[in-house]
Amino acid sequence: MAAELLKIHPVNPEPRKISRAVEVLAAGGIMVYPTDTVYGIGCDLLNRRAVERLCRILDIKPHKLDLSFICSDLSNIAVYVKRIDTPVFKILKKALPGPYTFIFESSSEVPKILDINKKTVGIRIPDHPIPRAIVQLLQRPLITSSVKDDDHIKEYTTDPEEMYEDFKHVVDMVIDGGPGGHVPSTVVDFTSGEGVVTRQGLGDYSLFA
């Protein structure tokens, strides 16, 4: 059966449509959805079967899982991160929500959830109403990866209808929240205690200089 294509307003997401998206995720569904950078593909972090299926779709071995968590707010992050010092917390408050992925040492919760010895975790709070509304209603993070294109010149797909054609037989829902971006998030590694930019994407790098 083909995936559901759901158009959601990118600025004022309709609550009943957000509820429908959460229903799909809660049932173990995989979803393609917009963020403040490129479109993502993800599922409910706490649904083991869905995470295994996501790994198969992305052709990733579960023990090599290196995906990010989409969280709703900073208090949500604290469950999955071993420690955030006060200076780092101030940076996060300034930068989030925003187009950043922050890498931290994972808390003891992460290996329990994923059943793998995962020492680091990537955290995102995107500045986009749709994923944040979904995570808030679901009350659990999404585990996520960027949607990439086979065309190396155009690395990230930006057209939701094109994504639907590509993914309609492997995912359960594609959310059309308008055209996506083609520049990924800036990745900042805080595992050493200092912020080290490991990928320059969208976002102001001077926060970490």
Side-chain angles (χ1 to χ4, degrees):
M1 192 168 76
E4 185 177 343
L5 179 63
L6 185 66
K7 288 198 175 196
I8 300 182
H9 196 283
V11 179
N12 297 301
E14 302 88 336
R16 67 180 177 80
K17 292 185 177 180
I18 294 295
S19 295
R20 174 61 192 142
V22 167
E23 200 177 286
V24 168
L25 289 166
I30 310 287
M31 177 180 293
V32 171
Y33 60 94
T35 76
D36 54 351
T37 56
V38 299
Y39 266 70
I41 177 170
C43 66
D44 176 358
L45 171 64
L46 300 189
N47 189 311
R48 185 77 56 84
R49 234 176 237 180
V51 174
E52 287 170 356
R53 192 173 143 220
L54 181 64
C55 287
R56 287 197 297 275
I57 290 169
L58 297 172
D59 197 22
I60 297 170
K61 301 286 182 198
H63 68 278
K64 292 195 173 174
L65 193 63
D66 196 19
L67 305 178
S68 300
F69 297 179
I70 300 268
C71 294
S72 57
D73 54 39
L74 287 170
S75 61
N76 199 210
I77 285 176
V79 178
Y80 307 102
V81 170
K82 188 173 183 180
R83 159 182 186 170
I84 302 177
D85 293 328
T86 302
V88 174
F89 187 78
K90 285 179 179 173
I91 291 171
L92 298 191
K93 274 191 85 168
K94 198 182 288 187
L96 297 173
Y100 301 97
T101 301
F102 292 113
I103 310 294
F104 289 98
E105 279 188 70
S106 57
S107 74
S108 58
E109 283 302 300
V110 174
K112 282 184 209 164
I113 292 164
L114 297 175
D115 201 24
I116 53 171
N117 186 21
K118 187 163 167 51
K119 292 181 180 173
T120 62
V121 61
I123 298 290
R124 282 218 66 201
I125 301 178
D127 189 12
H128 195 296
I130 292 175
R132 283 169 60 209
I134 288 170
V135 171
Q136 280 163 2
L137 188 60
L138 182 65
Q139 298 187 313
R140 299 185 290 279
L142 299 181
I143 186 165
T144 187
S145 177
S146 301
V147 173
K148 291 201 175 187
D149 201 287
D150 290 334
D151 183 343
H152 293 299
I153 296 168
K154 183 187 71 179
E155 190 178 3
Y156 295 98
T157 306
T158 58
D159 181 352
E161 292 190 4
E162 196 178 305
M163 283 179 242
Y164 181 73
E165 289 307 312
D166 289 344
F167 286 96
K168 66 183 178 184
H169 296 304
V170 290
V171 304
D172 302 284
M173 176 176 279
V174 174
I175 292 177
D176 180 350
H182 53 80
V183 181
S185 61
T186 290
V187 177
V188 185
D189 188 335
F190 274 110
T191 54
S192 68
E194 298 287 322
V196 178
V197 176
T198 58
R199 180 179 74 192
Q200 294 189 347
L202 278 183
D204 179 5
Y205 322 137
S206 68
L207 286 171
F208 319 103

